[in-house]
Amino acid sequence: MGVPGTIPALVGLTVGLAVTGCSPGGDRVDGRFRRSTLETVKTWMTGTFANHRQAADAPDEFHDTRLVHVPIWDERDDGPWIYVEQAHVGDESRPFVQRVYRLVIRPDGGVASEVYALPGNPRSITAPWRGNGSLGGVHPHELIARPGCTVVFAPQRSNAFSGAIVGQGCPSD
């Protein structure tokens, strides 16, 4: 159940990341650089974001929405993994979007944020900050890939990435 006008505004929060300490040089894409880059992007993506001002300025176009990104499965070496939840302000206990992102390094030194849906009824899954951090026992192999929804972040200069979904194959539900 999508909310018109909400997704682009909040995706902009993710797409507009400025990442410090990264270099686009292809010869620097070694193991240490990869880990450092992924940790930096994870840090910038982690937190609670809202579009209060946008919703106040254009209430007919945008709902007041909160977006939460929380790292999960830190013990895994095939990530970082981030749980994402989007809900209307005042109704945070009933998120209308729940996803998991997996960050990976691309061969060009950029970062891809792969997008996954949760199995079964996502609302039955306990958010990491409400329970014991386990995401209700869900494991990565149970996630449902969302082809066409990966956000690709490309290095722009020594301290920034810009990102977008490639193509138009990402359905909004």
Side-chain angles (χ1 to χ4, degrees):
M1 161 176 75
V3 176
T6 303
I7 302 286
L10 293 173
V11 168
L13 289 172
T14 302
V15 173
L17 295 174
V19 180
T20 61
C22 300
S23 170
D27 60 337
R28 296 234 15 247
V29 183
D30 57 20
R32 186 174 19 159
F33 175 74
R34 289 172 193 257
R35 283 187 300 277
S36 172
T37 301
L38 289 174
E39 284 301 312
T40 301
V41 172
K42 178 183 93 170
T43 298
W44 277 87
M45 288 180 70
T46 299
T48 301
F49 308 93
N51 68 338
H52 301 303
R53 183 177 298 153
Q54 183 183 44
D57 290 346
D60 293 337
E61 294 180 54
F62 300 101
H63 294 275
D64 195 1
T65 305
R66 183 211 62 179
L67 178 67
V68 179
H69 287 187
V70 178
I72 55 173
W73 304 323
D74 284 334
E75 72 283 358
R76 297 185 61 90
D77 61 4
D78 61 348
W81 294 84
I82 300 171
Y83 171 76
V84 177
E85 190 171 281
Q86 190 173 345
H88 296 294
V89 171
D91 199 13
E92 288 87 352
S93 66
R94 294 176 21 112
F96 59 87
V97 172
Q98 291 172 270
R99 298 280 187 258
V100 173
Y101 296 168
R102 177 180 169 224
L103 302 177
V104 296
I105 288 286
R106 295 171 40 87
D108 64 2
V111 175
S113 177
E114 300 171 345
V115 179
Y116 297 88
L118 295 164
N121 177 6
R123 287 192 177 170
S124 69
I125 295 171
T126 304
W129 61 90
R130 292 191 188 110
N132 63 6
S134 70
L135 199 58
V138 172
H139 298 281
H141 69 274
E142 299 174 87
L143 299 174
I144 303 157
R146 293 188 41 92
C149 295
T150 298
V151 177
V152 176
F153 297 102
Q156 296 299 301
R157 23 181 216 284
S158 64
N159 66 345
F161 280 77
S162 66
I165 293 172
V166 178
Q168 299 193 3
C170 182
S172 178
D173 59 359

